[in-house]
Amino acid sequence: MAKGSTKKVAFISSSLPRKCGIATFTSDLISNTATAAKGEFEPLVVAMRSEDHKYNDPVKFEIRQNVKSDYICAADYINFSHVDVVSVQHEFGLFGGDAGSYLSLLLDRLKPPTIMTLHTVLDDPNPAYHKSLVDVCNASYKVITMNERGVDMLRDVYGISGKKVQLIAHGIPDLPFVDSNYYKHKFGMEGRRTILTFGLLNKKKGIEVMLKAMPAIIEADPSVLYIVLGMTHPTVLKHDGESYRFSLQRIIKELGLKEHVIFHNRFVSNEELHNFLCSADIYVTPYLSREQLTSGTLSFAVGTGKAVVSTPYWAAMELLADGRGKLVNFDDSEQTAEAIIEILQDDSLFYSLRRRAYEYGRSRTWPKIGQAYWKLFSAKRLPVRIAARIAPSMAKTISTIEVPEPSSAHLKRLTDDTGLYQHAKFTIPNRKYGYCTDDNARAVIAMTKYYSQYPEPGALELFDIYLSFILHSQNKDGSVRNFMNFDRTWVKNEPVNDALGRVLWALGTVMAKPPSPSYLSIIKDCFDMSVKHVKKQYPRGMAYSILGMSDYLKQFPGASDIKRQLAIAADGLIAQYEENSLPDWQWFEDTLTYDNAVLPHALFVAGLTFGDKKYIEAAEKTCEFLLSNTFNGEHFSFVGCKGWYERGKTKAAFDQQPIEAASTVMMLRPAYDATQNSRYLTLQRKAFDWFLGENDLHIPLYDFRTKGCCDGLIADGVNSNQGAESTLSFLLSLLAIVESYTIADKIEGGKGVSLRQARLIEQTTKKPTPIKSISVKGKPKKRQVEELA
C-alpha cells in the first residue's frame, strides 16, 4: 500500500451504545485495527439498529433488522462510499429474515470484497440456518472463525473451502497479571474470596446452577462472595422482562445467600469490567448448552489470568485445555462446588491455573488481533468483486416507481381509544359514522403484518386497540356485530355484512404471527367460538374465513374441526363457481362487484393448505378471468362501484376503490405460490402501482405527505377523503409487496440514476446528481419526485 494512502473499511455489525457483546467486539476491533494501521485506516460502520439509539462516528448508516429495503439501500450506500473492503460480524439473530437471511440481500449487491467473521457456527443446523450460513460464506472473500472447532465444522458441515477460512481468536484486553487483593478495596471486598460471572443475563447462562452450589462453597469458606455482573439481555428484557433475574433472587432468599451474592444489574464500561476482573479470584461460566463457539467474557477472564471453572461448551473446551481451567458437567451444582472448593483450598492449583491462563492469553491480546485483521484489510491484492445482479423471481424488478416506507401515521390519526373510525373528511376523522368491525379487523391484520416487519411499540399499541374492538364485537353465541356509533352503542338492525369472516381472518392472522405467544390463548378461544358460523356466510364471508382458518392451521396444523370447516367453505365456493360460470364468464356470480379478488385468493389458499388441485384449478380460472377484465396490458383498471360489471353489459369505469387493488395484490402472491407462474409476481407489483399513478387517470391515490390513501379514483380525479378502508388497503398492499419482493433499483437504458441512488451519491460525494422523472407509462411525474424527496 502506498505511503500516505488509507484503507476504507465498512463494518456491518451492531454498534455501541447498543448493549451487546458483538457491539463491544466491533468497537475493540476498530480501535485496535486503527492502532495497527498507524493512520492508514478509515472505518465506516453500518449499524444494525436496535431501539432508538443515537450513534456517533464512525456510524454512518443504520439498518432496521426486519426491513428488507434497508439492506438493499445499505449495499448501495457502501458501493457509493469508496469502500475498499467490508467486515461483517455475523450472528444469526442480528439480521432479519429466516435465520438472518436478509443479510444475503446486502452481500449479493456489494462491490467491495467481504470478510465475514462468524460468532456462531451450528454443528446440526436446520435447512434454513444451513443455507443462510452457506450463502453468506459464498458471498465472502474470507471467512474468519475464532475456534479450531469452527474450522472443522465449516469444512465438514457446510462445505466451506479451507483456503477461504482463517482462524483469528477473540481479542483479550491487554491487562497485567495482578494480585486480586490490590483491587478489592475499590469495591469494599477486602478479606473476601471473590467469584465472578459477567455478561448479559439470560436463562442459558445457568446462574441458578452456581447459586445452588454456593451453600457447600460457603460451608468450606465463609468469606466467599459471588458477584453476578451484567444487566438482563435487552431482547430478553423486551419479551420476558426481569423474570429470570427475579427467579434467581428467589433462590438466593430460599438458600439464605443474601450476604454472599451480589447482583450488579447494569452494562459496565470496559474500565469497570477490567477492575472487576482484576478483583476476582475465580471466574465461573456455568452455561447450560455446549453449542457456543465463542465467548468474549471467558476470553477476557483467561486473558487476565483468572482461575476459571466452566461447563464444557465449545469455546471453553479450547480456551481451558492443557490445565488452563477446570471443566465441570452441565447443570451439576455439586461438581461445580467441588471444583471451586478445591481451587480455594489449594494455592498451588490456584496459581497454576492463573499462570497457564495468562500465558496462553498473551498470544491473543487485542493489539495482536488488531494486527491480524489489519493484515487482511490492507492486503495489496484484494479481489475485485462484481456484485451479483441475478435476482430470483421473488425479487424481480418490474417497476420504475419506488415504493414509499410503510407508515401507520394516518391510521393513528384515525384511531381513538375505542377503535378505528370508518370515515374521514380529508384526513380529519368523521365521527358521524362511528366505527365498524370490518375496518378494525382489517387493521388487526395490517398491524400484525406491520409489527412482524417493523416491531415498533406504537404499532403494538394500535394493534391492541383494534384487537380489543373486534373481541368486543363478538356476541356470546359467536356471532359478530359490525357497526358501532360514536357513543359506543352498537347499531341495531344492521344490514347484512361479512364482518364475521373478516374477524376470523384477523384472528387467524394473529395466530399465525402473534406479536407475543401470550395472545394465542385469548385468540384461539374467540376463533373457536365463531368458526361454527362459517357455513352461514355469503361467498366473500366464506372467503375471508378460509384465509383465517388456513392461518389457524399454521399454528395448530392438527386441528381437525378447523380443517372440516375450511373444506366446507372451500367446497361452498366451488359450488358457487360451478353454478354461475359459463365458457365466457368464469366467475362465482353473474356480476363483478366488490372485493372480487378475495374469492380466487381463498381458493388458492385452500388448494395450498390441502394440496387439492380442484381448488387451485378453479382459482386459476377465476383469477385469469378477473385479470382479463381488470388489467389492460399496461395498467390495472378495476371495476367501478357505480354500476359494477354485470354479465353481458358494460363494465363501470368509476368509482374505482382501493380495496380492489389491495385484494388483487394479496391474491397474486398465493397465485404464484400455487402455480410458480412468475407473471403473477409482475402483475402483483402492477396492481400495487395503481396506488402510485399507474391507473386510468395517471394520478396517485397515495398521499406521501399524510401517509393516507384517497378513498377512490373518480371520473374527474380522486376522492380526497382518506378513510380507514382505503388507507388500510394501501398499507396491506405495501406490506405484501415488501414481504414478496426485494425492491431493487432500475437504471433506465443505462442513463441517469434512480432517486434513491441519487440520494446516496449526494450523501457520499456532496455533489448534485441529476434525477430523472419517475415515469408512469411515458408520462413524467415531476410532482411525485418532489414528494418522494
Side-chain angles (χ1 to χ4, degrees), residues 505-533:
W505 185 8
L507 297 177
T509 301
V510 179
M511 291 181 76
K513 286 187 176 180
S516 164
S518 303
Y519 288 96
L520 283 175
S521 177
I522 300 167
I523 299 299
K524 181 180 179 300
D525 286 346
C526 295
F527 195 107
D528 292 346
M529 191 186 302
S530 291
V531 74
K532 62 190 174 186
H533 296 291

PDB file of all heavy atoms in Angstrom, residues 505-533:
ATOM      1  N   TRP A 505     -60.563 -13.936   9.777  1.00  0.00           N
ATOM      2  CA  TRP A 505     -59.312 -13.687   9.034  1.00  0.00           C
ATOM      3  C   TRP A 505     -58.311 -12.964   9.945  1.00  0.00           C
ATOM      4  O   TRP A 505     -57.128 -13.334  10.012  1.00  0.00           O
ATOM      5  CB  TRP A 505     -59.619 -12.853   7.797  1.00  0.00           C
ATOM      6  CG  TRP A 505     -58.449 -12.617   6.885  1.00  0.00           C
ATOM      7  CD1 TRP A 505     -57.200 -13.174   6.960  1.00  0.00           C
ATOM      8  CD2 TRP A 505     -58.422 -11.745   5.742  1.00  0.00           C
ATOM      9  NE1 TRP A 505     -56.399 -12.702   5.942  1.00  0.00           N
ATOM     10  CE2 TRP A 505     -57.123 -11.833   5.180  1.00  0.00           C
ATOM     11  CE3 TRP A 505     -59.362 -10.914   5.142  1.00  0.00           C
ATOM     12  CZ2 TRP A 505     -56.752 -11.107   4.046  1.00  0.00           C
ATOM     13  CZ3 TRP A 505     -58.993 -10.190   4.018  1.00  0.00           C
ATOM     14  CH2 TRP A 505     -57.706 -10.295   3.480  1.00  0.00           C
ATOM     15  N   ALA A 506     -58.796 -11.952  10.669  1.00  0.00           N
ATOM     16  CA  ALA A 506     -57.918 -11.195  11.568  1.00  0.00           C
ATOM     17  C   ALA A 506     -57.370 -12.084  12.678  1.00  0.00           C
ATOM     18  O   ALA A 506     -56.166 -12.079  12.968  1.00  0.00           O
ATOM     19  CB  ALA A 506     -58.678 -10.008  12.161  1.00  0.00           C
ATOM     20  N   LEU A 507     -58.252 -12.860  13.311  1.00  0.00           N
ATOM     21  CA  LEU A 507     -57.803 -13.719  14.411  1.00  0.00           C
ATOM     22  C   LEU A 507     -56.816 -14.769  13.916  1.00  0.00           C
ATOM     23  O   LEU A 507     -55.829 -15.088  14.593  1.00  0.00           O
ATOM     24  CB  LEU A 507     -59.011 -14.386  15.077  1.00  0.00           C
ATOM     25  CG  LEU A 507     -60.013 -13.443  15.757  1.00  0.00           C
ATOM     26  CD1 LEU A 507     -61.196 -14.237  16.312  1.00  0.00           C
ATOM     27  CD2 LEU A 507     -59.349 -12.639  16.864  1.00  0.00           C
ATOM     28  N   GLY A 508     -57.073 -15.316  12.726  1.00  0.00           N
ATOM     29  CA  GLY A 508     -56.149 -16.298  12.155  1.00  0.00           C
ATOM     30  C   GLY A 508     -54.793 -15.694  11.858  1.00  0.00           C
ATOM     31  O   GLY A 508     -53.749 -16.317  12.093  1.00  0.00           O
ATOM     32  N   THR A 509     -54.791 -14.458  11.354  1.00  0.00           N
ATOM     33  CA  THR A 509     -53.518 -13.776  11.070  1.00  0.00           C
ATOM     34  C   THR A 509     -52.697 -13.631  12.339  1.00  0.00           C
ATOM     35  O   THR A 509     -51.481 -13.852  12.343  1.00  0.00           O
ATOM     36  CB  THR A 509     -53.790 -12.387  10.463  1.00  0.00           C
ATOM     37  OG1 THR A 509     -54.537 -12.535   9.256  1.00  0.00           O
ATOM     38  CG2 THR A 509     -52.486 -11.666  10.152  1.00  0.00           C
ATOM     39  N   VAL A 510     -53.362 -13.269  13.436  1.00  0.00           N
ATOM     40  CA  VAL A 510     -52.657 -13.124  14.711  1.00  0.00           C
ATOM     41  C   VAL A 510     -52.122 -14.476  15.182  1.00  0.00           C
ATOM     42  O   VAL A 510     -51.000 -14.584  15.689  1.00  0.00           O
ATOM     43  CB  VAL A 510     -53.573 -12.505  15.784  1.00  0.00           C
ATOM     44  CG1 VAL A 510     -52.828 -12.390  17.112  1.00  0.00           C
ATOM     45  CG2 VAL A 510     -54.072 -11.145  15.346  1.00  0.00           C
ATOM     46  N   MET A 511     -52.912 -15.530  14.994  1.00  0.00           N
ATOM     47  CA  MET A 511     -52.466 -16.855  15.434  1.00  0.00           C
ATOM     48  C   MET A 511     -51.236 -17.307  14.665  1.00  0.00           C
ATOM     49  O   MET A 511     -50.341 -17.956  15.219  1.00  0.00           O
ATOM     50  CB  MET A 511     -53.595 -17.871  15.273  1.00  0.00           C
ATOM     51  CG  MET A 511     -54.737 -17.643  16.241  1.00  0.00           C
ATOM     52  SD  MET A 511     -56.058 -18.855  16.077  1.00  0.00           S
ATOM     53  CE  MET A 511     -55.308 -20.258  16.863  1.00  0.00           C
ATOM     54  N   ALA A 512     -51.161 -16.967  13.394  1.00  0.00           N
ATOM     55  CA  ALA A 512     -50.010 -17.380  12.580  1.00  0.00           C
ATOM     56  C   ALA A 512     -48.757 -16.598  12.949  1.00  0.00           C
ATOM     57  O   ALA A 512     -47.647 -17.155  12.940  1.00  0.00           O
ATOM     58  CB  ALA A 512     -50.324 -17.203  11.095  1.00  0.00           C
ATOM     59  N   LYS A 513     -48.922 -15.304  13.278  1.00  0.00           N
ATOM     60  CA  LYS A 513     -47.758 -14.461  13.622  1.00  0.00           C
ATOM     61  C   LYS A 513     -48.080 -13.605  14.843  1.00  0.00           C
ATOM     62  O   LYS A 513     -48.171 -12.383  14.753  1.00  0.00           O
ATOM     63  CB  LYS A 513     -47.399 -13.544  12.447  1.00  0.00           C
ATOM     64  CG  LYS A 513     -46.732 -14.247  11.278  1.00  0.00           C
ATOM     65  CD  LYS A 513     -46.268 -13.232  10.250  1.00  0.00           C
ATOM     66  CE  LYS A 513     -45.517 -13.914   9.109  1.00  0.00           C
ATOM     67  NZ  LYS A 513     -45.048 -12.933   8.100  1.00  0.00           N
ATOM     68  N   PRO A 514     -48.254 -14.220  16.006  1.00  0.00           N
ATOM     69  CA  PRO A 514     -48.614 -13.417  17.189  1.00  0.00           C
ATOM     70  C   PRO A 514     -47.471 -12.511  17.607  1.00  0.00           C
ATOM     71  O   PRO A 514     -46.310 -12.924  17.616  1.00  0.00           O
ATOM     72  CB  PRO A 514     -48.884 -14.490  18.257  1.00  0.00           C
ATOM     73  CG  PRO A 514     -48.077 -15.675  17.836  1.00  0.00           C
ATOM     74  CD  PRO A 514     -48.082 -15.647  16.326  1.00  0.00           C
ATOM     75  N   PRO A 515     -47.767 -11.247  17.944  1.00  0.00           N
ATOM     76  CA  PRO A 515     -46.704 -10.372  18.459  1.00  0.00           C
ATOM     77  C   PRO A 515     -46.057 -10.935  19.715  1.00  0.00           C
ATOM     78  O   PRO A 515     -44.903 -10.665  20.002  1.00  0.00           O
ATOM     79  CB  PRO A 515     -47.448  -9.062  18.754  1.00  0.00           C
ATOM     80  CG  PRO A 515     -48.659  -9.098  17.885  1.00  0.00           C
ATOM     81  CD  PRO A 515     -49.045 -10.544  17.808  1.00  0.00           C
ATOM     82  N   SER A 516     -46.825 -11.732  20.450  1.00  0.00           N
ATOM     83  CA  SER A 516     -46.316 -12.425  21.638  1.00  0.00           C
ATOM     84  C   SER A 516     -47.143 -13.693  21.808  1.00  0.00           C
ATOM     85  O   SER A 516     -48.351 -13.695  21.535  1.00  0.00           O
ATOM     86  CB  SER A 516     -46.464 -11.532  22.875  1.00  0.00           C
ATOM     87  OG  SER A 516     -46.338 -12.310  24.048  1.00  0.00           O
ATOM     88  N   PRO A 517     -46.546 -14.794  22.275  1.00  0.00           N
ATOM     89  CA  PRO A 517     -47.316 -16.030  22.482  1.00  0.00           C
ATOM     90  C   PRO A 517     -48.470 -15.861  23.458  1.00  0.00           C
ATOM     91  O   PRO A 517     -49.419 -16.643  23.438  1.00  0.00           O
ATOM     92  CB  PRO A 517     -46.261 -17.007  23.040  1.00  0.00           C
ATOM     93  CG  PRO A 517     -44.958 -16.486  22.546  1.00  0.00           C
ATOM     94  CD  PRO A 517     -45.101 -14.992  22.531  1.00  0.00           C
ATOM     95  N   SER A 518     -48.401 -14.829  24.295  1.00  0.00           N
ATOM     96  CA  SER A 518     -49.453 -14.614  25.292  1.00  0.00           C
ATOM     97  C   SER A 518     -50.813 -14.364  24.656  1.00  0.00           C
ATOM     98  O   SER A 518     -51.849 -14.574  25.296  1.00  0.00           O
ATOM     99  CB  SER A 518     -49.077 -13.427  26.181  1.00  0.00           C
ATOM    100  OG  SER A 518     -47.826 -13.629  26.794  1.00  0.00           O
ATOM    101  N   TYR A 519     -50.830 -13.903  23.405  1.00  0.00           N
ATOM    102  CA  TYR A 519     -52.106 -13.621  22.742  1.00  0.00           C
ATOM    103  C   TYR A 519     -52.836 -14.904  22.319  1.00  0.00           C
ATOM    104  O   TYR A 519     -54.049 -14.887  22.107  1.00  0.00           O
ATOM    105  CB  TYR A 519     -51.884 -12.762  21.490  1.00  0.00           C
ATOM    106  CG  TYR A 519     -51.513 -11.332  21.757  1.00  0.00           C
ATOM    107  CD1 TYR A 519     -50.184 -10.926  21.763  1.00  0.00           C
ATOM    108  CD2 TYR A 519     -52.486 -10.371  21.995  1.00  0.00           C
ATOM    109  CE1 TYR A 519     -49.831  -9.607  21.998  1.00  0.00           C
ATOM    110  CE2 TYR A 519     -52.146  -9.044  22.227  1.00  0.00           C
ATOM    111  CZ  TYR A 519     -50.818  -8.671  22.232  1.00  0.00           C
ATOM    112  OH  TYR A 519     -50.488  -7.365  22.460  1.00  0.00           O
ATOM    113  N   LEU A 520     -52.125 -15.997  22.153  1.00  0.00           N
ATOM    114  CA  LEU A 520     -52.689 -17.172  21.486  1.00  0.00           C
ATOM    115  C   LEU A 520     -53.910 -17.734  22.188  1.00  0.00           C
ATOM    116  O   LEU A 520     -54.907 -18.087  21.540  1.00  0.00           O
ATOM    117  CB  LEU A 520     -51.623 -18.269  21.343  1.00  0.00           C
ATOM    118  CG  LEU A 520     -50.597 -18.053  20.233  1.00  0.00           C
ATOM    119  CD1 LEU A 520     -49.526 -19.130  20.270  1.00  0.00           C
ATOM    120  CD2 LEU A 520     -51.292 -18.054  18.875  1.00  0.00           C
ATOM    121  N   SER A 521     -53.860 -17.864  23.497  1.00  0.00           N
ATOM    122  CA  SER A 521     -54.973 -18.472  24.225  1.00  0.00           C
ATOM    123  C   SER A 521     -56.263 -17.677  24.040  1.00  0.00           C
ATOM    124  O   SER A 521     -57.331 -18.246  23.777  1.00  0.00           O
ATOM    125  CB  SER A 521     -54.623 -18.569  25.714  1.00  0.00           C
ATOM    126  OG  SER A 521     -55.711 -19.089  26.443  1.00  0.00           O
ATOM    127  N   ILE A 522     -56.167 -16.354  24.162  1.00  0.00           N
ATOM    128  CA  ILE A 522     -57.345 -15.481  24.008  1.00  0.00           C
ATOM    129  C   ILE A 522     -57.892 -15.588  22.584  1.00  0.00           C
ATOM    130  O   ILE A 522     -59.098 -15.739  22.373  1.00  0.00           O
ATOM    131  CB  ILE A 522     -56.969 -14.023  24.312  1.00  0.00           C
ATOM    132  CG1 ILE A 522     -56.442 -13.903  25.737  1.00  0.00           C
ATOM    133  CG2 ILE A 522     -58.147 -13.089  24.090  1.00  0.00           C
ATOM    134  CD1 ILE A 522     -55.760 -12.581  26.038  1.00  0.00           C
ATOM    135  N   ILE A 523     -56.985 -15.501  21.605  1.00  0.00           N
ATOM    136  CA  ILE A 523     -57.403 -15.510  20.205  1.00  0.00           C
ATOM    137  C   ILE A 523     -58.047 -16.845  19.843  1.00  0.00           C
ATOM    138  O   ILE A 523     -59.078 -16.893  19.166  1.00  0.00           O
ATOM    139  CB  ILE A 523     -56.195 -15.238  19.289  1.00  0.00           C
ATOM    140  CG1 ILE A 523     -55.585 -13.869  19.592  1.00  0.00           C
ATOM    141  CG2 ILE A 523     -56.592 -15.325  17.824  1.00  0.00           C
ATOM    142  CD1 ILE A 523     -56.493 -12.707  19.382  1.00  0.00           C
ATOM    143  N   LYS A 524     -57.454 -17.925  20.289  1.00  0.00           N
ATOM    144  CA  LYS A 524     -57.984 -19.256  19.959  1.00  0.00           C
ATOM    145  C   LYS A 524     -59.405 -19.430  20.494  1.00  0.00           C
ATOM    146  O   LYS A 524     -60.287 -19.941  19.806  1.00  0.00           O
ATOM    147  CB  LYS A 524     -57.080 -20.343  20.524  1.00  0.00           C
ATOM    148  CG  LYS A 524     -57.560 -21.768  20.205  1.00  0.00           C
ATOM    149  CD  LYS A 524     -56.633 -22.817  20.790  1.00  0.00           C
ATOM    150  CE  LYS A 524     -57.157 -24.215  20.470  1.00  0.00           C
ATOM    151  NZ  LYS A 524     -58.501 -24.467  21.021  1.00  0.00           N
ATOM    152  N   ASP A 525     -59.636 -19.005  21.726  1.00  0.00           N
ATOM    153  CA  ASP A 525     -60.976 -19.145  22.314  1.00  0.00           C
ATOM    154  C   ASP A 525     -62.016 -18.393  21.487  1.00  0.00           C
ATOM    155  O   ASP A 525     -63.111 -18.907  21.216  1.00  0.00           O
ATOM    156  CB  ASP A 525     -60.984 -18.607  23.750  1.00  0.00           C
ATOM    157  CG  ASP A 525     -60.266 -19.543  24.718  1.00  0.00           C
ATOM    158  OD1 ASP A 525     -60.012 -20.705  24.342  1.00  0.00           O
ATOM    159  OD2 ASP A 525     -59.960 -19.100  25.840  1.00  0.00           O
ATOM    160  N   CYS A 526     -61.690 -17.175  21.087  1.00  0.00           N
ATOM    161  CA  CYS A 526     -62.632 -16.366  20.305  1.00  0.00           C
ATOM    162  C   CYS A 526     -62.850 -16.967  18.918  1.00  0.00           C
ATOM    163  O   CYS A 526     -63.978 -16.983  18.410  1.00  0.00           O
ATOM    164  CB  CYS A 526     -62.135 -14.935  20.196  1.00  0.00           C
ATOM    165  SG  CYS A 526     -62.083 -14.072  21.779  1.00  0.00           S
ATOM    166  N   PHE A 527     -61.771 -17.441  18.298  1.00  0.00           N
ATOM    167  CA  PHE A 527     -61.892 -18.063  16.980  1.00  0.00           C
ATOM    168  C   PHE A 527     -62.794 -19.289  17.059  1.00  0.00           C
ATOM    169  O   PHE A 527     -63.721 -19.456  16.246  1.00  0.00           O
ATOM    170  CB  PHE A 527     -60.497 -18.462  16.477  1.00  0.00           C
ATOM    171  CG  PHE A 527     -60.438 -18.772  15.009  1.00  0.00           C
ATOM    172  CD1 PHE A 527     -59.838 -17.894  14.127  1.00  0.00           C
ATOM    173  CD2 PHE A 527     -60.981 -19.949  14.489  1.00  0.00           C
ATOM    174  CE1 PHE A 527     -59.777 -18.170  12.766  1.00  0.00           C
ATOM    175  CE2 PHE A 527     -60.928 -20.237  13.139  1.00  0.00           C
ATOM    176  CZ  PHE A 527     -60.321 -19.343  12.268  1.00  0.00           C
ATOM    177  N   ASP A 528     -62.533 -20.144  18.036  1.00  0.00           N
ATOM    178  CA  ASP A 528     -63.308 -21.389  18.168  1.00  0.00           C
ATOM    179  C   ASP A 528     -64.786 -21.110  18.421  1.00  0.00           C
ATOM    180  O   ASP A 528     -65.656 -21.877  17.993  1.00  0.00           O
ATOM    181  CB  ASP A 528     -62.741 -22.234  19.312  1.00  0.00           C
ATOM    182  CG  ASP A 528     -61.357 -22.790  19.005  1.00  0.00           C
ATOM    183  OD1 ASP A 528     -60.952 -22.742  17.828  1.00  0.00           O
ATOM    184  OD2 ASP A 528     -60.682 -23.269  19.938  1.00  0.00           O
ATOM    185  N   MET A 529     -65.089 -20.003  19.069  1.00  0.00           N
ATOM    186  CA  MET A 529     -66.473 -19.666  19.355  1.00  0.00           C
ATOM    187  C   MET A 529     -67.237 -19.248  18.097  1.00  0.00           C
ATOM    188  O   MET A 529     -68.429 -19.490  17.957  1.00  0.00           O
ATOM    189  CB  MET A 529     -66.526 -18.534  20.391  1.00  0.00           C
ATOM    190  CG  MET A 529     -67.930 -18.275  20.955  1.00  0.00           C
ATOM    191  SD  MET A 529     -67.976 -16.818  22.042  1.00  0.00           S
ATOM    192  CE  MET A 529     -66.760 -17.293  23.270  1.00  0.00           C
ATOM    193  N   SER A 530     -66.523 -18.628  17.140  1.00  0.00           N
ATOM    194  CA  SER A 530     -67.190 -18.074  15.953  1.00  0.00           C
ATOM    195  C   SER A 530     -67.141 -18.961  14.723  1.00  0.00           C
ATOM    196  O   SER A 530     -67.940 -18.789  13.798  1.00  0.00           O
ATOM    197  CB  SER A 530     -66.573 -16.708  15.601  1.00  0.00           C
ATOM    198  OG  SER A 530     -66.895 -15.727  16.554  1.00  0.00           O
ATOM    199  N   VAL A 531     -66.211 -19.919  14.681  1.00  0.00           N
ATOM    200  CA  VAL A 531     -65.985 -20.658  13.439  1.00  0.00           C
ATOM    201  C   VAL A 531     -67.192 -21.492  13.023  1.00  0.00           C
ATOM    202  O   VAL A 531     -67.369 -21.789  11.834  1.00  0.00           O
ATOM    203  CB  VAL A 531     -64.706 -21.530  13.576  1.00  0.00           C
ATOM    204  CG1 VAL A 531     -64.975 -22.747  14.465  1.00  0.00           C
ATOM    205  CG2 VAL A 531     -64.182 -21.947  12.212  1.00  0.00           C
ATOM    206  N   LYS A 532     -68.045 -21.834  13.961  1.00  0.00           N
ATOM    207  CA  LYS A 532     -69.235 -22.640  13.627  1.00  0.00           C
ATOM    208  C   LYS A 532     -70.204 -21.894  12.717  1.00  0.00           C
ATOM    209  O   LYS A 532     -71.078 -22.517  12.096  1.00  0.00           O
ATOM    210  CB  LYS A 532     -69.951 -23.060  14.915  1.00  0.00           C
ATOM    211  CG  LYS A 532     -70.466 -21.886  15.737  1.00  0.00           C
ATOM    212  CD  LYS A 532     -70.957 -22.330  17.103  1.00  0.00           C
ATOM    213  CE  LYS A 532     -71.342 -21.138  17.972  1.00  0.00           C
ATOM    214  NZ  LYS A 532     -71.688 -21.532  19.347  1.00  0.00           N
ATOM    215  N   HIS A 533     -70.059 -20.578  12.607  1.00  0.00           N
ATOM    216  CA  HIS A 533     -70.979 -19.789  11.780  1.00  0.00           C
ATOM    217  C   HIS A 533     -70.501 -19.633  10.334  1.00  0.00           C
ATOM    218  O   HIS A 533     -71.179 -18.970   9.535  1.00  0.00           O
ATOM    219  CB  HIS A 533     -71.160 -18.392  12.390  1.00  0.00           C
ATOM    220  CG  HIS A 533     -71.819 -18.390  13.740  1.00  0.00           C
ATOM    221  ND1 HIS A 533     -73.142 -18.727  13.925  1.00  0.00           N
ATOM    222  CD2 HIS A 533     -71.305 -18.102  14.974  1.00  0.00           C
ATOM    223  CE1 HIS A 533     -73.441 -18.631  15.218  1.00  0.00           C
ATOM    224  NE2 HIS A 533     -72.340 -18.258  15.873  1.00  0.00           N
TER     225      HIS A 533
END
